[in-house]
Amino acid sequence: MTSAFSLLKTRFVWFLFAGLLLIAQVPSILGSYWTLIALNLMMWVAITQSWTLFSGMTGYISLGHVVFYGVGAYVVASTFNTIPLWLAVPMGGIAAALLALVVSVPVLRVRGPYFVILTFGLAELVKFSILNLETVSGKSSRLLFGTPSIEILLYCMIGLVVLATLTTLFVTCSRFGRGLTVIREDEVAAATVGVPVLRYKIIAYTISAIVPGMAGGLMALKSTYFEVLQVFNPIISFTVVTMAIIGGSGDVRGPFLGAVFLVLLSELFWTTAPQFYMILVGLFLILFVIFAPNGIAAFLDKLQISRKSG
Amino acid sequence: MNARLKVEGIRSGYGEIQVLRGIEMLCGEAQITALVGSNGAGKSTLLRTLAGILPTATGRILHGEAEIQRLPSHERVARGIIMVPEGRLVFPDLSVEENLRTGAVNVRARDVWSKTVKEVYDLFPRLLERQKQLAGTLSGGEQQMLALGRGLMGLPEVLLLDEPTLGLAPSVATQIFNIIPQLTESNISILIAEQDLNRVLDIAHFGYVIENGRITMQDTGSALRNNPAVAEAYLG
């Protein structure tokens, strides 16, 4: 089983690099409109992949990952023109990880629906705290002048996708990753075999905040202004969960498949029939949860198996 | 008697609700110690407290000379204090062998797991037959064997068994009761909480009766077996 897995992995890694190289060609071949779409796509893949590392592996569904995205954006926006961007963006990731670390001890003590609600509430709390902070200091929104070009941001975002994906692959194969899987299966049993349950959950939660933090920073640079309600928009959390479910949250390919699916869907319908798009997203989410809870990735595996046997 | 695990005045429970009100007990080296009592007397709470799944409010737990009541559960597992939880908590989506392998994640057991797993298969040939099968698809008896085998994979010094025959067919229960005494030959101390009073006292060297979170009687297994007051306590 292990050898089959590593084979799949190497094939996947080749596909991954080929795909990302193609996406890196988008600016020169397809122009600026498609570059923006490619940037969006890469952002969703990066965040969803990080989300999967924690929520997919441990079964703790975070409905508030936007908080890390927002914090990363806030760090980059508030330090804009004072510290260089190559430092500010990683600092956004570190700030998000620190926030995750600090809140993880109380937050990870509750399970199931309580955890879901708590992560959502936490994101709202941070959103309104920063909103008040900005209002008090008289900066309801910030304009960012002289941001890097979209191409540069796309390359950075591709870098984040690589980082998030390699981290997930690495964790999946490690003892740490097996510990997380066992926690998802049964937390008490995991403790009785000697998995340091709380420590593993904290580490996974903290790691899963880093890339969303940096992605938030890059996206603030992309939009060239910073507005609290926009970067802490809960829709971002919902979209990430939706992409993970549709793509397959237990699979490293899932975030790619889910993000491509929803970004294409949005390209087809968002401008022409926005209401129709939201209805479709809801419909697909329901259909996937009922008929394909392991997402497109598991569906592809099934196709492959039936083709081989049939 | 040399004690491998010594419990001194343990109090614990769930939040505000105190279940254990000062437990004193010993687990002898390579001996079977039985813990009997009615439902809700505190048997599971005691085992969970010893395993570190529940925090100890006051009192001491001594493993040899060392105090372990403040150690987190994974460090107790690494010391060889391993619980097989009630209700056969196997990992349903992992195979039998993967389940066994998770039992050996602690530092002492990790590197010798391939040797230990053979010994477990010798003890439970049924698990070898089901090696690749998902644990969730096993029968109740097989799951209990797997849970027990997974506990053994961690190379226990003290094995805490919580109701190992609960809900099992009588023939399977007999099988489990036949295997437990064999384990003491590998120098494992066993603390077993069990509803099946007579059978557990038959195999136990020493036994404790627990009522309302306190030890009310203690004696050798056979003496408790013949003491009518025990049956009364058991009925609550």
Side-chain angles (χ1 to χ4, degrees):
Chain A
M1 189 204 131
T2 331
S3 60
F5 177 70
S6 47
L7 199 77
L8 175 93
K9 217 181 67 191
T10 48
R11 220 181 68 188
F12 167 76
V13 169
W14 286 114
F15 266 119
L16 173 73
F17 282 117
L20 293 180
L21 272 177
L22 273 179
I23 287 177
Q25 306 312 311
V26 167
S28 52
I29 298 171
L30 293 172
S32 61
Y33 177 73
W34 284 97
T35 307
L36 273 174
I37 290 174
L39 177 62
N40 257 322
L41 178 70
M42 289 295 100
M43 174 205 77
W44 289 119
V45 173
I47 303 177
T48 309
Q49 193 70 267
S50 305
W51 181 90
T52 320
L53 176 70
F54 170 72
S55 290
M57 296 200 75
T58 63
Y60 278 71
I61 305 300
S62 161
L63 203 55
H65 251 52
V66 69
V67 73
F68 305 126
Y69 177 92
V71 163
Y74 184 57
V75 167
V76 168
S78 56
T79 61
F80 195 69
N81 278 342
T82 53
I83 55 174
L85 289 176
W86 59 263
L87 190 62
V89 172
M91 267 175 58
I94 292 168
L98 281 177
L99 174 70
L101 187 66
V102 169
V103 300
S104 64
V105 177
V107 165
L108 286 168
R109 284 200 184 276
V110 296
R111 293 183 209 176
Y114 303 103
F115 177 79
V116 178
I117 293 165
L118 197 56
T119 54
F120 180 73
L122 174 77
E124 291 292 290
L125 175 77
V126 172
K127 174 172 87 178
F128 286 108
S129 303
I130 293 184
L131 188 63
N132 280 334
L133 207 68
E134 289 285 275
T135 317
V136 166
S137 56
K139 288 175 174 145
S140 62
S141 64
R142 297 162 189 257
L143 286 172
L144 313 176
F145 293 109
T147 55
S149 69
I150 301 292
E151 285 95 324
I152 303 282
L153 293 176
L154 174 64
Y155 298 142
C156 293
M157 200 61 93
I158 290 175
L160 289 187
V161 169
V162 172
L163 179 66
T165 308
L166 290 184
T167 308
T168 304
L169 279 174
F170 184 71
V171 166
T172 314
C173 307
S174 69
R175 188 185 304 131
F176 173 59
R178 281 195 295 273
L180 295 180
T181 314
V182 163
I183 290 171
R184 180 183 63 203
E185 294 264 306
D186 193 309
E187 207 165 319
V188 172
T192 64
V193 299
V195 173
V197 174
L198 186 62
R199 192 203 299 164
Y200 273 21
K201 285 191 298 188
I202 290 173
I203 296 173
Y205 191 60
T206 306
I207 294 178
S208 85
I210 298 174
V211 166
M214 292 201 274
L218 291 179
M219 291 312 272
L221 296 174
K222 173 228 149 189
S223 55
T224 66
Y225 65 94
F226 170 82
E227 214 256 312
V228 178
L229 292 178
Q230 196 183 14
V231 297
F232 283 96
N233 190 343
I235 295 282
I236 294 174
S237 296
F238 302 155
T239 309
V240 166
V241 179
T242 309
M243 284 176 172
I245 289 171
I246 289 181
S249 61
D251 195 304
V252 69
R253 298 167 299 175
F256 290 91
L257 298 166
V260 168
F261 185 86
L262 275 198
V263 168
L264 281 183
L265 200 69
S266 127
E267 270 318 297
L268 286 174
F269 294 104
W270 186 239
T271 44
T272 51
Q275 279 80 11
F276 191 54
Y277 165 73
M278 290 312 280
I279 292 170
L280 269 182
V281 170
L283 198 66
F284 273 114
L285 188 59
I286 293 168
L287 288 176
F288 269 95
V289 167
I290 294 175
F291 297 107
N294 296 321
I296 303 175
F299 188 70
L300 287 179
D301 285 344
K302 233 182 262 175
L303 273 185
Q304 210 164 19
I305 290 167
S306 62
R307 202 187 305 151
K308 267 179 196 159
S309 60
Chain B
M1 184 183 73
N2 279 330
R4 186 167 288 168
L5 202 66
K6 200 169 171 187
V7 178
E8 294 179 349
I10 282 293
R11 288 168 188 273
S12 87
Y14 302 85
E16 296 288 297
I17 305 155
Q18 206 180 67
V19 180
L20 304 180
R21 306 150 193 241
I23 298 279
E24 309 273 342
M25 74 183 317
L26 300 173
C27 295
E29 283 197 15
Q31 288 204 336
I32 299 175
T33 309
L35 188 61
V36 296
S38 61
N39 270 334
K43 298 191 298 290
S44 287
T45 309
L46 177 54
L47 293 190
R48 285 176 165 233
T49 306
L50 296 181
I53 307 286
L54 287 176
T56 308
T58 57
R60 301 202 302 167
I61 306 170
L62 293 165
H63 176 223
E65 299 291 309
E67 283 190 27
I68 60 162
Q69 70 273 7
R70 294 278 162 254
L71 295 183
S73 55
H74 65 272
E75 282 177 32
R76 299 192 204 189
V77 171
R79 295 187 68 105
I81 295 159
I82 295 173
M83 181 169 79
V84 177
E86 184 191 332
R88 315 182 272 280
L89 302 179
V90 297
F91 304 117
D93 293 332
L94 300 187
S95 74
V96 167
E97 182 139 315
E98 284 166 342
N99 262 276
L100 290 175
R101 197 166 179 182
T102 62
V105 295
N106 77 68
V107 191
R108 285 182 319 129
R110 199 176 286 160
D111 296 331
V112 292
W113 87 275
S114 52
K115 182 173 156 283
T116 323
V117 81
K118 287 196 188 89
E119 293 166 12
V120 170
Y121 285 144
D122 285 341
L123 207 56
F124 302 105
R126 198 55 172 277
L127 294 183
L128 183 60
E129 288 167 29
R130 303 261 187 262
Q131 198 178 3
K132 304 275 177 228
Q133 208 169 309
L134 291 188
T137 66
L138 299 179
S139 73
E142 289 165 345
Q143 289 192 7
Q144 184 59 58
M145 291 177 196
L146 180 55
L148 208 52
R150 191 182 60 194
L152 293 172
M153 288 299 295
L155 303 178
E157 280 195 16
V158 181
L159 193 60
L160 309 168
L161 302 178
D162 196 359
E163 308 262 5
T165 66
L166 190 72
L168 295 187
S171 64
V172 185
T174 306
Q175 231 178 315
I176 303 273
F177 273 118
N178 288 339
I179 281 166
I180 291 169
Q182 292 177 34
L183 301 178
T184 58
E185 288 160 24
S186 325
N187 196 26
I188 299 173
S189 300
I190 290 165
L191 177 60
I192 173 172
E194 184 51 63
Q195 299 264 11
D196 193 338
L197 189 71
N198 291 333
R199 279 175 121 167
V200 74
L201 291 176
D202 275 343
I203 60 166
H205 299 92
F206 205 81
Y208 292 87
V209 178
I210 182 169
E211 283 178 272
N212 284 324
R214 287 192 183 88
I215 302 291
T216 52
M217 274 180 265
Q218 51 181 294
D219 212 329
T220 61
S222 51
L224 284 180
R225 172 93 157 84
N226 300 316
N227 185 342
V230 174
E232 238 166 79
Y234 177 71
L235 293 171

